[in-house]
Amino acid sequence: MPDAYEQYLVPVIFRPFAEDLAARAAALAPGRVLELAAGTGVLTSCLLATASSVEVTATDLNEAMVTLGSTRAPGAVWRQADAQRLPFPDGGFDLVVCQFGVMFFPDRVEAFSEIHRVLAPDGRFLFNTWGPLETHTFEVALQAGLERAFPVDPPRFFPTVPHGYSDPAVVAADLSAAGFAVEDERELTFQGRAASTADLATGYLTGTPVRAAVEERGDGPAVRATVIEEMTARLGPGPVTAPMTAYVFLAAA
């Protein structure tokens, strides 16, 4: 799964937002940065390129992601870590960053409290989260394809997890409950650019947790064909460009 995620999804979906988040991080001039849910290291690489003197510790819950990420961004220290039980001392970092990871935390207030704990006084927490599903044209088309392939009980991962934390007021309330003050919140839209709709579908079907849901339901090749057909009907065969919207938060400890 990490290889497919890196090949098909990172350049199209995640790199534009990683470059933005890294620039925002560099503007804060941190010395010690902790990255959570680092995945295969796209933000990690951008952080190291944007602020060469920064010390980056990159973590992910998934050991396979850590293994691949450490080869993609070897300038960081990589560790497997659970955001709700961080293996770091109090006050050890100037900045904690997280790209599209907070939606996966089972208890966000608990995770945010841990982040607050490992931040130095006046430290910052910088992260982004996806907007509602309807603001991400690629994933609207993907979900339509999954619902066509599975008219009964289609996989609901994308509406409920990546796009399930898309109310900025809820995010701000969770941050406040963990002791943070929101300094900045903004909506940001980038254009994703994919070489082909088939590649994009392959990335989503094999490089995300949807893969397991499809395998449980069986007949993977037929599902892939149906999803590609539906996505192509909506987006064209490619190259394809479509808007993707996220929210960016900066919070002070």
Side-chain angles (χ1 to χ4, degrees):
M1 190 171 78
D3 291 325
Y5 171 89
E6 174 68 26
Q7 179 178 351
Y8 295 111
L9 298 183
V10 165
V12 178
I13 307 298
F14 297 104
R15 181 167 293 281
F17 292 96
E19 292 172 350
D20 171 80
L21 213 59
R24 295 177 192 276
L28 298 171
R32 302 157 299 168
V33 175
L34 172 63
E35 183 184 358
L36 304 177
T40 57
V42 61
L43 174 57
T44 322
S45 297
C46 291
L47 288 168
L48 293 168
T50 305
S52 57
S53 63
V54 71
E55 297 177 8
V56 178
T57 299
T59 68
D60 199 279
L61 182 62
N62 186 318
E63 188 65 43
M65 289 290 192
V66 172
T67 299
L68 181 56
S70 64
T71 68
R72 303 288 299 180
V77 175
W78 284 82
R79 291 188 62 175
Q80 190 275 339
D82 182 345
Q84 292 180 202
R85 290 176 289 277
L86 292 172
F88 304 108
D90 295 359
F93 298 95
D94 306 308
L95 176 67
V96 174
V97 296
C98 185
Q99 164 140 298
F100 300 125
V102 297
M103 308 88 74
F104 294 89
F105 299 161
D107 186 326
R108 296 180 186 107
V109 173
E110 182 178 349
F112 292 168
S113 297
E114 269 289 270
I115 293 165
H116 193 283
R117 178 185 66 77
V118 301
L119 280 169
D122 299 323
R124 299 292 188 273
F125 178 29
L126 175 67
F127 65 96
N128 53 19
T129 183
W130 290 117
L133 177 65
E134 59 266 23
T135 66
H136 197 305
T137 302
F138 289 147
E139 291 170 10
V140 168
L142 169 72
Q143 188 62 31
L146 290 170
E147 290 174 4
R148 180 176 162 189
F150 300 104
V152 177
D153 189 29
R156 297 285 299 165
F157 169 74
F158 279 93
T160 59
V161 182
H163 298 280
Y165 197 44
S166 58
D167 184 341
V170 172
V171 179
D174 288 347
L175 287 166
S176 179
F180 282 102
V182 176
E183 289 191 336
D184 190 41
E185 171 214 318
R186 62 187 62 210
E187 182 179 298
L188 187 64
T189 299
F190 284 122
Q191 297 292 318
R193 294 177 172 83
S196 75
T197 303
D199 281 356
L200 195 59
T202 298
Y204 280 125
L205 293 174
T206 63
T208 75
V210 165
R211 176 176 185 161
V214 170
E215 288 174 351
E216 287 171 3
R217 290 161 171 81
D219 204 6
V223 170
R224 181 177 182 274
T226 299
V227 170
I228 290 174
E229 183 176 300
E230 182 65 26
M231 292 184 72
T232 300
R234 290 168 174 262
L235 303 172
V240 60
T241 300
M244 313 173 292
T245 296
Y247 301 113
V248 182
F249 287 85
L250 177 64

